[in-house]
Structures are given as C-alpha cells and as structure tokens.
C-alpha cells in the first residue's frame, strides 16, 4: 500500500470517474486503474463498484476513503514541517475568498504579495462561507478570507480588519435627507439583499432590528452588489454596502451614501484556516501584507461588529 495509491483512490471517489481522476492526478487512466487494482488485490476487497454509472464506493470502500483522507493529508504536512523549520516561504497555497470581499480586497494586495513572495504559487477561488468551511475541513483549502466570527471549533481566525457598512439611499427615499443614520432607522422590508448563502445578507438581517418580513414583492437571485445599487437607483429600496465597495462608485452614486452614527455597524474580515494547518509562514506573510495595505483604506475605529451567521 502506498500514499500514491490512496491519492488515486481519493481522486476517483471525488470525481466518480477513472478518466477524470487520472486527469486530475496527471497520469494516464491505465496507470491509475492499475494502481487501484493492485491496492484492491492487496487488501482482497473492492473499493469501487464499477458496474454503477457513475462509479460508486462499496461499503468498505467508503471506510477506506475516510481513512485515506487522513493519511494523505498528514503526508502532505511532512513537507510543511520541513518548510516551516527552514523558514522557507513558498510552495502551493490554496486560498478561498468570499464573493463580497474578493472584488475589492484582492486587487489591493495580490500584486504586492506576489512580488514580495514570488516562490508562493497561489490558487485562489471565490467561494461562499459554507463552501469555504467545508473545503477547509476536508483539506481542500489552506486558508480563506471571510467574515467572522464563525464560531467553529476546528477553524482558527486572524482578524485582518473591521469594515464598516455604509447605507446606500437613493434620492426620493425617506431617509435620503438624513446626514447620519441609526441602525434603528433600518427596516428590513425596505432593504435590498443578496441571495441566500451570502454571509453579508445574514449580517444585514441580523443588523435590522425589526420583526418585519422580507420584501415579498420580488425575489432577487443575484450575488452582485452592483445589482443591488442599480435596483436601489430604480427606487426599489435601499441597501447596505461594505465600505471598500463604496470607493469606486461614480460621483453621482456617491451622493447616495449615508454613514452611520457611532458606533458604526461593521463586519469583521479575517484570514481563517484549520486548527492543524502548518503553512503558518505563508499565513503570517499574507496577514502582514493585507494588514499593511488596508490601514490606508479603512480608518474607522468606533465600530459594532455584526455577526455573519444566520440567526
């Protein structure tokens, strides 16, 4: 039994197809199939039911896959231990970023980070918070940037910054003439929100101190903050924007921005990772670069952190 064989088994279990698994592993399909067959012969069992389409795990195969995940993940950590001991900052690093942070934060730090740490091979994916948690727990991500706190015992959080919310209130709205607004002014029925699955949506719902129901006149199925702004401009309601999303608005749209009285409601944005993660030298490097850059963009101090979790 070899780690390579277990790696091939995990690939087939994930893709339920030998050809796709071979492509992921950068080997030929016959090579992958032969190694899995050798493992099955050695154990004298069948890991996969090849008669099913797509391929399915046998009962014992499911148990083997669960154990194989632990073995393969731990084998990867041997190199992490060596790199950490040598102070080497390089290698592959898989990073997830939530959709409401990706378009604003990534352009701010990526060029600087890549230039400063050219030996790190970043693989970045835009994922929802729930997808991030699942992938971190399965070892498919090294770290992620998400709204916190997540109250997850297996995940550690390093706070990067606090990002205040800014109200976007179009002309003609009853709150448009107010210079500063309060959280008590917010009415959920009048609030344009992102689709289910976005922690920003849940955070805003938690912020609105009202028992009113969500707007049932129409349903918005969009993950785009830009869409919220356009709908607001059409008189369909107001919305809340994370501070960094206000920086690139045109002059006309900026006239619709209204700030909160202190303490301003804000979201906590953190670098998160599994509690057993060993690529700490890369995590610390990323935290340092982002924290250094963000200081010049967000100067708010008196804030009230809003939970990103649905209640």
């Amino acid at each position: 039994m070899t780690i390579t064989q277990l790696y091939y088994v995990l690939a087939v279990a994930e893709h339920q197809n030998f050809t796709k698994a071979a492509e992921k592993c950068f080997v030929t399909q016959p090579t992958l199939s032969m190694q899995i067959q050798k493992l099955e012969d050695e154990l004298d069992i069948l890991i996969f039911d090849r008669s099913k389409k797509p391929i399915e795990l046998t009962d014992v195969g499911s148990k083997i896959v669960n154990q194989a995940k632990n073995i393969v993940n731990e084998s990867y950590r041997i190199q992490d231990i060596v790199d950490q001991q040598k102070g080497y900052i390089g290698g592959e690093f898989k990073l997830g970023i939530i959709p409401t942070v990706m378009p604003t934060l990534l352009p701010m730090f990526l060029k600087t980070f890549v230039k400063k740490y050219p030996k790190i091979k970043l693989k970045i994916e835009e994922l929802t918070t729930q997808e991030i948690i699942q992938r971190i727990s399965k070892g498919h991500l090294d770290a992620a940037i998400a709204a916190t706190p997540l109250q997850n015992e297996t995940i550690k959080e390093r706070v990067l910054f606090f990002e205040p919310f800014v109200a976007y209130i179009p002309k003609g709205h009853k709150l448009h003439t107010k210079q500063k607004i309060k959280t008590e002014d917010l009415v959920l029925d009048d609030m344009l929100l992102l689709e289910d699955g976005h922690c920003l949506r849940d955070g805003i719902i938690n912020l609105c101190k009202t028992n009113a129901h969500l707007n049932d006149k129409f349903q918005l199925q969009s993950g785009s903050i830009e869409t919220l702004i356009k709908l607001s401009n059409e008189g369909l309601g107001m919305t809340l924007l994370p501070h960094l999303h206000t920086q690139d608005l045109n002059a006309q749209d900026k006239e619709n921005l209204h700030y909160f009285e202190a303490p301003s409601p804000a979201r906590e944005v953190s670098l998160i990772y599994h509690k057993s993660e060993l690529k700490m030298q890369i995590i610390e490097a990323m935290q340092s670069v982002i924290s250094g850059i963000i200081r010049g963009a967000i100067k708010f101090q008196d804030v009230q952190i809003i939970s990103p979790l649905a209640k």
Side-chain angles (χ1 to χ4, degrees):
M1 182 187 305
T2 67
I3 291 174
T4 298
Q5 288 173 333
L6 296 178
Y7 178 69
Y8 291 166
V9 166
L10 293 179
V12 175
E14 179 179 353
H15 295 282
Q16 296 182 285
N17 182 283
F18 277 83
T19 302
K20 291 181 180 178
E23 291 174 356
K24 177 189 175 182
C25 298
F26 302 104
V27 296
T28 64
Q29 189 268 327
T31 297
L32 180 138
S33 297
M34 180 182 67
Q35 288 299 322
I36 291 179
Q37 184 66 59
K38 282 185 176 181
L39 179 59
E40 289 178 320
D41 290 345
E42 178 184 343
L43 298 174
D44 194 25
I45 50 91
L46 287 177
I47 299 174
F48 298 102
D49 185 345
R50 294 164 175 78
S51 67
K52 301 290 182 63
K53 300 295 181 183
I55 294 170
E56 294 182 2
L57 287 164
T58 61
D59 289 341
V60 68
S62 295
K63 296 176 182 178
I64 288 172
V65 163
N66 288 334
Q67 186 61 33
K69 289 178 182 177
N70 296 329
I71 294 171
V72 172
N73 286 338
E74 289 304 313
S75 72
Y76 290 156
R77 298 190 187 283
I78 293 176
Q79 186 61 53
D80 292 342
I81 292 171
V82 174
D83 290 343
Q84 193 172 34
Q85 182 67 28
K86 293 181 178 179
Y88 173 73
I89 304 180
E92 182 178 279
F93 192 79
K94 293 170 286 187
L95 179 72
I97 308 180
I98 60 174
T100 56
V101 168
M102 177 88 123
T104 54
L105 183 62
L106 188 61
M108 293 176 67
F109 83 86
L110 184 58
K111 184 176 180 179
T112 300
F113 185 81
V114 171
K115 185 177 181 180
K116 189 171 183 179
Y117 301 102
K119 294 181 180 179
I120 297 176
K121 183 181 178 182
L122 277 178
K123 288 191 173 182
I124 303 170
E125 288 188 82
E126 183 177 278
L127 301 164
T128 64
T129 301
Q130 193 57 43
E131 290 172 328
I132 283 171
I133 293 173
Q134 291 173 355
R135 295 202 186 193
I136 286 179
S137 65
K138 293 179 180 179
H140 293 167
L141 282 179
D142 293 304
I145 299 174
T148 53
L150 297 178
Q151 299 174 2
N152 188 307
E153 293 181 355
T154 66
I155 290 178
K156 290 190 174 183
E157 304 171 356
R158 291 192 175 205
V159 177
L160 296 172
F161 56 92
F162 303 118
E163 184 175 21
F165 289 116
V166 182
Y168 188 87
I169 308 173
K171 292 179 176 64
H173 191 281
K174 61 184 179 181
L175 296 178
H176 183 76
T177 57
K178 295 192 69 171
Q179 287 188 335
K180 291 269 189 175
I181 64 171
K182 304 176 181 179
T183 55
E184 290 80 6
D185 294 328
L186 304 180
V187 179
L188 199 55
D189 289 26
D190 189 40
M191 192 71 62
L192 294 170
L193 301 169
L194 294 174
E195 63 187 347
D196 285 334
H198 287 269
C199 59
L200 179 59
R201 170 193 175 95
D202 295 328
I204 292 174
I205 291 175
N206 294 339
L207 175 62
C208 294
K209 301 181 186 304
T210 175
N211 293 322
H213 296 292
L214 290 174
N215 193 328
D216 58 2
K217 295 178 182 177
F218 59 89
Q219 289 186 335
L220 173 63
Q221 294 295 323
S222 171
S224 168
I225 287 179
E226 288 69 26
T227 300
L228 298 183
I229 294 172
K230 290 179 180 179
L231 290 174
S232 184
N233 286 338
E234 291 296 321
L236 293 173
M238 62 174 288
T239 192
L240 297 186
L241 308 177
H243 177 75
L244 292 179
H245 280 267
T246 69
Q247 302 303 291
D248 295 328
L249 293 179
N250 59 48
Q252 183 176 352
D253 285 343
K254 282 187 177 181
E255 293 178 0
N256 296 329
L257 296 178
H258 291 66
Y259 294 88
F260 285 87
E261 291 184 357
S264 177
R267 65 175 177 176
E268 179 182 272
V269 178
S270 301
L271 192 58
I272 66 174
Y273 50 95
H274 196 275
K275 64 180 182 180
S276 62
E277 179 65 44
L278 290 178
K279 296 182 181 179
M280 295 309 301
Q281 68 276 25
I282 298 180
I283 289 173
E284 290 169 359
M286 184 167 290
Q287 180 185 17
S288 176
V289 169
I290 295 175
S291 298
I293 288 175
I294 208 69
R295 286 193 202 102
I298 300 179
K299 299 182 175 66
F300 297 86
Q301 298 296 327
D302 192 1
V303 295
Q304 172 193 359
I305 303 305
I306 306 303
S307 172
L309 303 177
K311 291 183 179 179

